[in-house]
Amino acid sequence: MPATPPATPLRWDIFCQVIDNFGDIGVCWRLAANLAQRGCTVRLRVDDASALAWMAPDGLDGVQVLPYDAPWDASHPPQAVVEAFGCAAPAPYLDALARQPAPLLNLEYLSAEDYVLRCHRLPSPILHGPGQGLTRWFFYPGFTAGTGGLLREPDLLPRQALFDRQAWRQQHGVRADAVAISLFCYEPAALPHWLQQCTAHADWQLLVTPGRATAAVQKNMNEKGLNPLPAKREKLLFLKSCSQTDFDALLWACDLNLVRGEDSLVRALWAGQPLVWHIYPQDDNAHHAKLQAFLDWLHAPASLRDFHYAWNGMADAQTLPQVDGPMLAQWRDCIQAARTRLLAQNSLIDQLQMFISEKS
Ligand SMILES: Cc1cn([C@H]2C[C@H](O)[C@@H](COP(=O)(O)OP(=O)(O)O[C@H]3O[C@@H](C)[C@H](O)[C@@H](O)[C@H]3O)O2)c(=O)[nH]c1=O
């Protein structure tokens, strides 16, 4: 039975540096929103908040978005501080924190690899320089007990229970009987092979997210001179940017979700539909081990592994499996079993709050 987190809502500072794409701000906003939903007050200090205009257009009570280097507020010091993905708070801030200390955490990237279990909750004392005397704690999200868990808002299940899938599909031009597939990716080498499969199945509709996925699909279409004909236009729906809440609805309404990065992977797991993960590519191919560890944790069937290898450039694009109904059903069973395992664990916020109350 998951442990119950402390009830006292705290004042949090979260630092976010946007590197590229949308995962940094996506995860940090979701973290801030999850905390605010539990009554906490959150100051999200971010260097580029522009994506929030479409990701969280309405903002949220309890979350204040500030410039990264906004001054220290001595009359309202933080009771917990998170530096996301290894970004460091500005030196003056860390020096002020050392005078009015509160637990300082480094929220790491999500991985299923073994090192997460070894490194989660390790201390790193600051022995000199900004923040001297403080201890930075490593906090690793993860898929299993012994890690920091996954972001899961309290109202996720009730929202899913109320979701009207058919109404959503009708509003978005998706046929009730279609196999609806969402595409949120970088530029996978196997994309042409996947587009051929999507075109070959009369009952498949591909919902393409804006940005890099749309650019990759259109590039492929133009290269092949495949200007989407009226019929093909119905097969390919090019979406506009939408809020995180509406992005969830897209994932819940589809029968297969091709996601990427970090945050949308977790959202696709909560959606419980078959999913494929386009992992964030890293120069030294470090992402290959990260993907393998995830597929191992997932207990992925061979066909889902093979699809991931081709989709992530770890196998020849020609080896992309031909997806059919029985295969999708097997993938769905796998994802739903994983979702059930995850729902039995503490959420990341519960773990975070328990950790902070230990260290305060
Ligand atoms: C397409 C779409 C996405 N989103 C949200 C979902 C997620 O919160 C966010 C996308 O983040 P991700 O899924 O993580 O994928 P990403 O590729 O955009 O972000 C990446 O950024 C890199 C810097 C990190 O190192 C990666 O781990 C990864 O997080 O955008 C919307 O809110 N609306 C949309 O229409």
Side-chain angles (χ1 to χ4, degrees), residues 12-214:
W12 294 70
D13 275 349
I14 299 174
F15 285 89
C16 174
Q17 265 178 353
V18 175
I19 300 172
D20 60 11
N21 302 298
F22 306 120
D24 301 296
I25 187 70
V27 168
C28 290
W29 174 262
R30 201 178 298 282
L31 172 63
N34 274 221
L35 286 166
Q37 282 175 329
R38 283 170 174 77
C40 297
T41 51
V42 184
R43 292 177 295 221
L44 177 57
R45 295 160 167 269
V46 55
D47 58 354
D48 175 3
S50 54
L52 292 181
W54 49 267
M55 199 182 276
D58 306 327
L60 188 69
D61 288 347
V63 180
Q64 188 187 9
V65 180
L66 294 172
Y68 196 84
D69 56 358
W72 174 265
D73 180 349
S75 52
H76 299 89
Q79 294 160 302
V81 181
V82 174
E83 295 169 324
F85 308 122
C87 74
Y93 178 98
L94 288 173
D95 286 333
L97 182 64
R99 291 191 292 274
Q100 291 178 280
L104 171 63
L105 285 84
N106 175 15
L107 178 69
E108 279 293 340
Y109 288 104
L110 173 62
S111 178
E113 293 162 282
D114 291 344
Y115 73 81
V116 167
L117 283 166
R118 293 193 301 274
C119 300
H120 179 51
R121 298 167 61 102
L122 285 186
S124 171
I126 301 178
L127 304 175
H128 45 74
Q132 185 175 340
L134 290 170
T135 294
R136 193 172 264 127
W137 297 92
F138 287 96
F139 194 92
Y140 279 81
F143 301 91
T144 59
T147 69
L150 300 179
L151 281 169
R152 183 177 80 234
E153 60 278 15
D155 65 346
L156 173 68
L157 299 187
R159 274 173 49 221
Q160 286 183 323
L162 289 173
F163 180 63
D164 185 336
R165 195 174 207 252
Q166 288 314 327
W168 190 96
R169 287 168 77 124
Q170 192 171 17
Q171 284 155 18
H172 291 78
V174 178
R175 291 193 315 277
D177 61 347
V179 173
I181 300 164
S182 69
L183 179 66
F184 180 45
C185 61
Y186 305 112
E187 295 77 29
L191 182 61
H193 304 76
W194 181 238
L195 291 176
Q196 269 176 346
Q197 282 198 49
C198 294
T199 310
H201 285 264
D203 59 341
W204 286 17
Q205 278 185 283
L206 190 64
L207 286 74
V208 186
T209 56
R212 294 176 69 172
T214 287

Side-chain angles (χ1 to χ4, degrees), residues 19-24 26-27 30 54-55 109 184 186 209-210 240-245 247 260-265 267 280 290:
I19 300 172
D20 60 11
N21 302 298
F22 306 120
D24 301 296
V27 168
R30 201 178 298 282
W54 49 267
M55 199 182 276
Y109 288 104
F184 180 45
Y186 305 112
T209 56
K240 294 187 175 27
S241 291
C242 66
S243 69
Q244 283 189 331
T245 304
F247 183 68
R260 77 186 202 195
E262 172 166 330
D263 191 55
S264 57
L265 168 67
R267 304 315 291 178
Y280 183 73
K290 185 169 176 175

